[in-house]
Amino acid sequence: MPELSGAVMLHQFDGFMDAGSAGRALTEHLLEEFEPRVIARFDADRLVDYRSQRPPMTFASDHWEDIESPELAVHLLHDATGVPFLLLTGPEPDREWELFTRAVQGLIERWGVRLTVGFHGIPMGVPHTRPLGVTAHATREALLGEDHQPWLNTLQVPGNISALLELRLGQAGHDAMGYAVHVPHYLAQATYPSSSVRLLDAVTEATGLELPGGPLLDAAESAEAEIARQVEGSNEVADVVAALERQYDVFTEAGNRRSLLAETSEHMPTADELGSEFERFLAEQSGRDQN
C-alpha cells in the first residue's frame, strides 16, 4: 500500500441526478486513462437493493452465463506526474447511509486524505454555445476560492449520498467539496462530454492534480459538432437556442456574472418544452433516415 497521506479522494455515485452523464463520463475517463487498482470494496450486497437496481445477467443459448454484480469500491490511481489519488465510485447505496459515510470517513482518517471532492451534472436553462457554469459547495468557504459566487437563497433538495458524505465529513472537521456542472436542459438526457470536461477543469483546479483530458476532449469536440449540425437543421431548435443565448448574454452583461442561478426570464421555454422540441426534431430526423 503506497503512502497516501495528503492525497485527494474523488467520488461519484450512480443513481442520483447526473445531467448529461457529466459525472459518469468523467469517472469512466479517469478509470480508463490512469490505470486504477482497487484498494477497498464495500459490501454491495448489504447496501444495494437489487430490485431497484437490477444487475444485468447474460443468458447464453440455454443457460445463465454471467451476472454484472454491482461494485462499490475505492480505486487507487496516479495522475500524469505520478501523484496518487483515490476514486470512490459505484451505485449509490439504497440503505445504511450513515453506516456507509462513517466507513468512508474511517478510510479517509486511516489514509490521511486531505480533501474529498464529488461531482455531477444538473439541468439548467442555458445554451450549449456559452461557457458552462458550475455550482460549487464546500465544508469551508476558503476551499471555494475568491471568485466563488454563492447561491442567494436557501433551498431543500432530495438527499443523496454524495451530499451526505460532504455534510458528515465537514461536521467531523474534514475538508470536502463538490461541483455540479450546469448542463443545458435539452441535453440533460444525452451524454454530453463537454460537461465532463468542465468538471475535469474544476477538479484539477481544486486539487492540483494533473489530469489530461485526452479522449474526453476529442469526444466533446465531436459532440459539439453533431449538436451544431442538428441545430442548423431545425429552425425551431435554433430559435430555442437563440432565446437561451439572449437571456444568457443579457444576464451576464448586466451583472458581469458567470451563472444564471439567480434570475429567470418570464418568456424562457421550460425544460419540458425544450425536451419535447428536441425529441420531435430527432424523431423527424430518424424518419427521414429510414426513407
Side-chain angles (χ1 to χ4, degrees), residues 95-203:
R95 54 176 69 91
E96 298 189 353
W97 280 16
E98 295 291 356
L99 182 63
F100 175 75
T101 56
R102 287 196 298 270
V104 175
Q105 180 182 328
L107 293 177
I108 287 171
E109 293 171 349
R110 181 192 308 173
W111 293 332
V113 172
R114 67 175 174 87
L115 176 65
T116 306
V117 184
F119 47 85
H120 68 115
I122 57 175
M124 192 72 68
V126 294
H128 69 280
T129 53
R130 299 294 185 267
L132 299 179
V134 173
T135 295
H137 41 82
T139 55
R140 292 191 300 116
E141 186 177 356
L143 295 173
L144 299 173
E146 297 179 356
D147 296 334
H148 173 65
Q149 297 179 343
W151 281 71
L152 301 180
N153 299 308
T154 298
L155 69 160
Q156 284 191 330
V157 299
N160 62 90
I161 196 65
S162 183
L164 179 62
L165 179 59
E166 183 178 317
L167 173 65
R168 294 295 185 238
L169 288 175
Q171 291 171 339
H174 297 288
D175 283 347
M177 61 190 306
Y179 293 103
V181 61
H182 306 163
V183 178
H185 278 308
Y186 49 88
L187 299 173
Q189 300 302 316
T191 297
Y192 185 45
S194 294
S195 62
S196 302
V197 171
R198 183 65 183 89
L199 286 178
L200 180 63
D201 290 341
V203 168

Side-chain angles (χ1 to χ4, degrees), residues 2-172:
E3 174 59 42
L4 293 175
S5 179
V8 170
M9 177 184 284
L10 309 179
H11 60 85
Q12 182 269 330
F13 304 97
D14 294 327
F16 184 59
M17 180 185 299
D18 188 26
S21 296
R24 177 71 260 169
L26 175 54
T27 296
E28 291 174 352
H29 169 72
L30 296 175
L31 293 175
E32 290 171 0
E33 296 296 311
F34 297 100
E35 300 182 359
R37 176 164 67 92
V38 174
I39 59 174
R41 282 188 175 90
F42 294 87
D43 188 355
D45 217 36
R46 288 183 56 182
L47 298 172
V48 176
D49 179 358
Y50 290 164
R51 291 190 299 175
S52 67
Q53 304 186 54
R54 294 184 182 273
M57 296 184 66
T58 301
F59 183 78
S61 183
D62 58 1
H63 66 281
W64 293 107
E65 185 173 80
D66 192 20
I67 180 172
E68 295 181 24
S69 298
E71 182 178 72
L72 189 56
V74 180
H75 303 261
L76 172 64
L77 307 93
H78 295 78
D79 74 357
T81 63
V83 175
F85 67 100
L86 302 169
L87 175 61
L88 167 59
T89 189
E92 182 181 43
D94 292 295
R95 54 176 69 91
E96 298 189 353
W97 280 16
E98 295 291 356
L99 182 63
F100 175 75
T101 56
R102 287 196 298 270
V104 175
Q105 180 182 328
L107 293 177
I108 287 171
E109 293 171 349
R110 181 192 308 173
W111 293 332
V113 172
R114 67 175 174 87
L115 176 65
T116 306
V117 184
F119 47 85
H120 68 115
I122 57 175
M124 192 72 68
V126 294
H128 69 280
T129 53
R130 299 294 185 267
L132 299 179
V134 173
T135 295
H137 41 82
T139 55
R140 292 191 300 116
E141 186 177 356
L143 295 173
L144 299 173
E146 297 179 356
D147 296 334
H148 173 65
Q149 297 179 343
W151 281 71
L152 301 180
N153 299 308
T154 298
L155 69 160
Q156 284 191 330
V157 299
N160 62 90
I161 196 65
S162 183
L164 179 62
L165 179 59
E166 183 178 317
L167 173 65
R168 294 295 185 238
L169 288 175
Q171 291 171 339

Side-chain angles (χ1 to χ4, degrees), residues 196-230:
S196 302
V197 171
R198 183 65 183 89
L199 286 178
L200 180 63
D201 290 341
V203 168
T204 54
E205 182 178 353
T207 63
L209 293 170
E210 294 288 336
L211 304 173
L216 196 59
L217 295 173
D218 295 337
E221 183 177 355
S222 297
E224 292 295 340
E226 176 60 20
I227 292 168
R229 185 190 69 80
Q230 293 187 8

Side-chain angles (χ1 to χ4, degrees), residues 234-252:
S234 169
N235 291 333
E236 293 86 353
V237 173
D239 289 344
V240 169
V241 174
L244 288 168
E245 289 174 336
R246 287 193 295 272
Q247 175 188 272
Y248 185 102
D249 293 341
V250 168
F251 186 87
T252 53

